[in-house]
Amino acid sequence: MNTRTSHLTPRPGIMEISPYVGGRSTLDGGQNVIRLASNESALGPSPRAVAAYEALGDSLHRYPDGGAGDLRDALGALNGLDPARIVCGTGSDEILQLLTKAYAGPGDEVLYSRHGFLVYALAARAAGATPVAAPETDLRADVDSLLEHVTGKTRVLFLANPNNPTGSYLSKAELRRLWRGLPENILLVIDSAYAEYVTAADYEAGAELVDAAKNVVMTRTFSKIYGLAALRLGWCYAGEEVIDVMNRVRGPFNVTAPALAAGLAAVQDQDHIDTARRRNDKWLKRLVPELQNIGIAVLPSVCNFLLLRFPEGGSHDSKAADSFLTTRGILARNVDTYHLPDCLRVSIGRDDEMDALLLALKEFMA
Ligand SMILES: Cc1ncc(COP(=O)(O)O)c(C=O)c1O
């Protein structure tokens, strides 16, 4: 054993990071589990994406296309965007981290809303910046509160729209009001990881705002509706300046060839995405009243998950619910780290998984 004391000192802020703990995916004993803790796709990826991934098997000795040209072209064609203003990354996580490091550092502040996605605070600390959380109203990002927390030190504002774990979103008009209230030297990052699930007419994923402003970025992922979480693939759309910065700070081959191939095939199979959206919508509509009927408060969600609120204290609280579901092999997400100790988050899973969830929760609440 090496007993020498280390003289290595990480940059200020790094040791204040609590490493990200994802949703549980296994149980001791190795029994089959129903994984509802990570907002993964219930349907899985398009079979065409799986075939494209497998076809890469005989060329693993080749470097990928570092510019992700074909995938950017396909994303541009699908969404009506200029492919030159798209950058791909190893999951949208990488994009969020790179944006933070590029635009914020020691002495700067990174702003997000209180129940916003955890990675924003972690990315801020990793960059040496200070994370600042603006309070929400009724578990929704609050435009006024966010703007009130802007200071001369704010450099980046992260907004998950819709947000994980609350499932709530800001309308297109609210998003515009937020942007209009921001000084031009603050980068507004609109994290639209769940955009493809949203069917609300007043929702905008962010591309129009990017086109109207130099200080706006939209980030997207293949981990949710595209069902390719294992491959780690995401992208962003931004103005020329931000894209230039991202192309300087990203690794030369940051996205793997299997991810690029599967992502391209997945984009070209929009029937699969439509099916996934439709069945998600069907379950959202069905679950909300059924859960309310048995005494569980459910937040309105436009995503592939629901935030369930349990009565505090007593035998029907969120901790008891989590334990009970675990005994049934159902893994939900404890959201204590999101400052929501009375809640559990559950993803929309397969039909049989949702039937099992409903059955278990009815038994628990009885
Ligand atoms: C709001 C939000 N943004 C980004 C991500 C990260 O996704 P990716 O798998 O692309 O890194 C997640 C993952 O759960 C998320 O919920």
Side-chain angles (χ1 to χ4, degrees):
M1 197 176 80
N2 184 351
T3 51
R4 282 189 308 171
T5 320
S6 168
H7 292 281
L8 301 175
T9 310
R11 287 197 303 124
I14 304 279
M15 298 314 288
E16 286 158 48
I17 299 174
S18 311
Y20 181 85
V21 180
R24 290 174 301 161
S25 56
T26 53
L27 282 177
D28 293 345
Q31 77 251 44
N32 280 342
V33 289
I34 295 179
R35 293 168 56 159
L36 305 181
S38 299
N39 301 340
E40 293 154 342
S41 158
L43 205 55
S46 154
R48 284 156 64 175
V50 177
Y53 166 80
E54 286 171 352
L56 249 284
D58 59 4
S59 52
L60 294 181
H61 55 303
R62 302 288 180 202
Y63 277 100
D65 167 14
D70 291 346
L71 180 59
R72 286 188 300 105
D73 284 347
L75 287 168
L78 175 70
N79 298 290
L81 308 177
D82 176 3
R85 293 205 277 128
I86 291 174
V87 168
C88 295
T90 312
S92 52
D93 256 1
E94 186 197 22
I95 307 256
L96 301 172
Q97 300 279 355
L98 290 178
L99 285 168
T100 314
K101 288 199 180 87
Y103 288 95
D108 298 333
E109 292 175 355
V110 171
L111 182 58
Y112 57 98
S113 68
R114 174 152 170 86
H115 306 291
F117 184 45
L118 274 185
V119 162
Y120 310 147
L122 305 188
R125 289 204 194 282
T130 306
V132 176
E136 300 191 359
T137 303
D138 299 331
L139 299 187
R140 276 180 88 239
D142 180 324
V143 172
D144 295 310
S145 163
L146 283 164
L147 292 177
E148 279 160 21
H149 284 76
V150 169
T151 73
K153 294 178 180 172
T154 312
R155 290 289 163 268
V156 180
L157 193 169
F158 281 111
L159 178 80
N161 202 39
N163 184 49
N164 167 22
T166 52
S168 57
Y169 73 101
L170 290 189
S171 69
K172 183 174 170 163
E174 290 171 299
L175 197 57
R176 298 248 154 189
R177 191 162 78 78
L178 175 64
W179 169 70
R180 272 199 305 273
L182 284 182
E184 284 175 6
N185 66 339
I186 296 178
L187 184 70
L188 172 60
V189 182
I190 305 170
D191 174 351
S192 305
Y194 299 91
E196 293 87 353
Y197 286 109
V198 187
T199 54
D202 62 351
Y203 173 77
E204 184 208 340
E208 286 174 36
L209 200 50
V210 170
D211 284 337
K214 288 189 175 160
N215 62 331
V216 182
V217 187
M218 170 183 74
T219 64
R220 305 287 287 263
T221 184
F222 281 81
S223 301
K224 304 303 172 186
I225 208 165
Y226 281 95
L228 292 172
L231 289 180
R232 315 302 304 123
L233 183 61
W235 56 284
C236 69
Y237 178 62
E240 275 171 25
E241 267 179 52
V242 174
I243 291 300
D244 177 44
V245 167
M246 290 297 279
N247 277 325
R248 289 168 195 266
V249 295
R250 72 177 175 83
F253 303 102
N254 59 329
V255 180
T256 68
L260 290 174
L264 178 62
V267 168
Q268 290 165 341
D269 187 1
Q270 287 300 309
D271 284 350
H272 187 78
I273 302 305
D274 292 342
T275 304
R277 184 187 303 109
R278 271 198 308 275
R279 70 168 302 290
N280 190 69
D281 222 35
K282 179 195 83 177
W283 272 109
L284 281 179
K285 289 197 175 95
R286 182 172 157 202
L287 282 172
V288 174
E290 290 220 29
L291 292 169
Q292 284 167 342
N293 278 346
I294 56 170
I296 300 171
V298 188
L299 263 93
S301 169
V302 293
C303 301
N304 68 334
F305 57 84
L306 286 170
L307 191 66
L308 312 184
R309 180 172 258 167
F310 292 84
E312 272 181 281
S315 57
H316 289 100
D317 71 2
S318 66
K319 302 295 171 278
D322 201 11
S323 304
F324 186 87
L325 290 176
T326 302
T327 64
R328 296 289 184 276
I330 300 174
L331 305 183
R333 179 73 146 110
N334 170 313
V335 280
D336 287 358
T337 44
Y338 285 95
H339 317 290
L340 296 163
D342 54 339
C343 297
L344 285 180
R345 192 194 68 201
V346 288
S347 316
I348 307 291
R350 295 191 313 260
D351 291 355
D352 58 312
E353 294 174 332
M354 293 296 91
D355 289 338
L357 174 72
L358 274 173
L359 197 67
L361 285 174
K362 279 177 189 163
E363 210 182 315
F364 171 69
M365 293 301 286

